[in-house]
Amino acid sequence: MTTYLAANDAPPRNTGHIKIYSLEDFDAMEAACQLTAKCLDAVTELVRPGTTTRELDRFIRNFGHDHGVVPATLNYRGYPHSSCISINHVVCHGMPSDKPLKNGDILNIDITFIVDGWHGDSSRMYIAGTPKRAAERLVDITHDCLMAGIDAVKPGNHMGAIGAAIERIAHAERCSVVRDFCGHGVGTLFHDAPNVLHYGRADEGIEMKPGMIFTIEPMINLGKPHVKILRDGWTAVTRDRSLSAQFEHSVGVTEDGCRVFSFSPIGLHKPLTSNG
Ligand code: MF3
Ligand code: CO
Ligand code: CO
């Protein structure tokens, strides 16, 4: 049995209850997500061959500092950075390092700023220099997958509708959907119930109700879906070393659909590619 609970009455930890947030809460969540989106916008011009991901992470930490906020990932379960930066065959939780970006690298930058206690969680793909066709295609497909997942969010639908919509697009393009990581409830907690699967059937999972807030963050591979975690305990890579891409938005369920909190305020939803 799923228990839905007014967010105000919920204890400050993940108890498995589904929180129902108020419209005021939605506004606060949007403010947090918009700061994250502005940082994802601002970092765009730094992404080019030669830049190290440590430099990108430092920019993100400073951006937060300048706005009086901290990144939720810093010291989260021992994670030591202000962002996750996942290049090429890295699926997610890539650790910033001193390795410079190379021409044609595709990378996901994932940021969560905490603003007044609200977790603005979003990520996008970026391209350093000129991408290969296959990489560019994967980035476009992955963004299409996220948007199809978002289109499936409305009261009365089951959570499985999100994964079903994502899989439909990915499989039509002969790509695979990573199953080892999922989206999550978000808001006053970073990772809360429910889990948001990026695969499955439309009639599976709990029913969506107005007031729910969660992320959708599909990871799509050009090859097989299987991942492994490197010795650092964080970095997830594709087992077959095929390219992987990811986009993430935080969304709230409304009376007739959903509100996307983390859209770019200047329209930088995905990198410019030849497919437009
Ligand atoms: N931001 C990631 C997400 O979308 C979580 C990163 S947790 C970390 O849920 F510890 F790896 F940073
Ligand atoms: Co997330
Ligand atoms: Co994230």
Side-chain angles (χ1 to χ4, degrees):
M1 242 283 285
T2 312
T3 319
Y4 299 84
L5 198 62
N8 283 336
D9 301 332
R13 62 201 150 81
N14 183 352
T15 50
H17 298 286
I18 306 299
K19 293 197 184 105
I20 300 299
Y21 289 102
S22 68
L23 271 181
E24 248 181 357
D25 295 339
F26 272 33
D27 290 340
M29 184 62 188
E30 186 161 72
C33 288
Q34 282 300 299
L35 190 66
T36 293
K38 281 193 186 123
C39 187
L40 288 170
D41 287 346
V43 81
T44 307
E45 61 176 21
L46 299 177
V47 176
R48 53 179 125 72
T51 306
T52 69
T53 50
R54 198 183 299 285
E55 287 168 327
L56 299 177
D57 191 67
R58 188 180 315 121
F59 174 85
I60 292 160
R61 176 159 42 81
N62 289 339
F63 185 99
H65 187 262
D66 292 346
H67 291 82
V69 302
V70 287
T73 52
L74 195 57
N75 304 320
Y76 177 78
R77 299 182 183 201
Y79 187 81
H81 302 290
S82 299
S83 61
C84 297
I85 305 183
S86 305
I87 306 175
N88 296 337
H89 74 296
V90 179
V91 172
C92 64
H93 302 164
M95 307 253 265
S97 80
D98 292 319
K99 217 170 113 189
L101 294 172
K102 300 184 307 297
N103 185 44
D105 280 349
I106 61 167
L107 53 147
N108 174 278
I109 304 182
D110 192 338
I111 305 175
T112 306
F113 282 131
I114 310 176
V115 181
D116 292 333
W118 295 87
H119 293 72
D121 188 5
S122 183
S123 80
R124 291 182 208 157
M125 294 302 294
Y126 299 80
I127 301 174
T130 315
K132 297 223 169 66
R133 280 253 318 227
E136 190 173 77
R137 181 174 157 266
L138 176 65
V139 168
D140 280 326
I141 292 166
T142 305
H143 190 262
D144 288 349
C145 284
L146 171 60
M147 295 317 291
I150 289 172
D151 282 343
V153 176
K154 85 172 200 223
N157 279 2
H158 291 250
M159 295 300 287
I162 297 168
I166 290 168
E167 258 191 333
R168 206 182 137 86
I169 302 231
H171 290 171
E173 299 289 346
R174 299 266 172 275
C175 291
S176 66
V177 178
V178 171
R179 291 172 167 250
D180 300 68
F181 301 96
C182 55
H184 49 92
V186 66
T188 48
L189 288 184
F190 190 7
H191 292 118
D192 206 350
N195 284 339
V196 180
L197 303 186
H198 303 119
Y199 60 90
R201 277 176 21 187
D203 58 357
E204 290 172 328
I206 62 163
E207 203 180 301
M208 299 180 210
K209 294 207 188 296
M212 288 171 62
I213 301 179
F214 50 81
T215 73
I216 306 177
E217 46 184 300
M219 286 139 274
I220 307 297
N221 299 348
L222 276 184
K224 299 238 154 60
H226 311 107
V227 312
K228 69 173 182 191
I229 311 287
L230 298 187
R231 306 269 303 258
D232 60 24
W234 285 103
T235 312
V237 300
T238 55
R239 280 192 174 269
D240 63 6
R241 295 189 68 84
S242 67
L243 284 183
S244 186
Q246 178 181 30
F247 285 88
E248 174 178 28
H249 277 310
S250 294
V251 308
V253 183
T254 60
E255 293 300 327
D256 59 355
C258 78
R259 190 161 138 192
V260 180
F261 298 124
S262 45
F263 274 141
S264 163
I266 55 172
L268 295 179
H269 303 310
K270 59 172 188 169
L272 279 177
T273 58
S274 41
N275 299 326

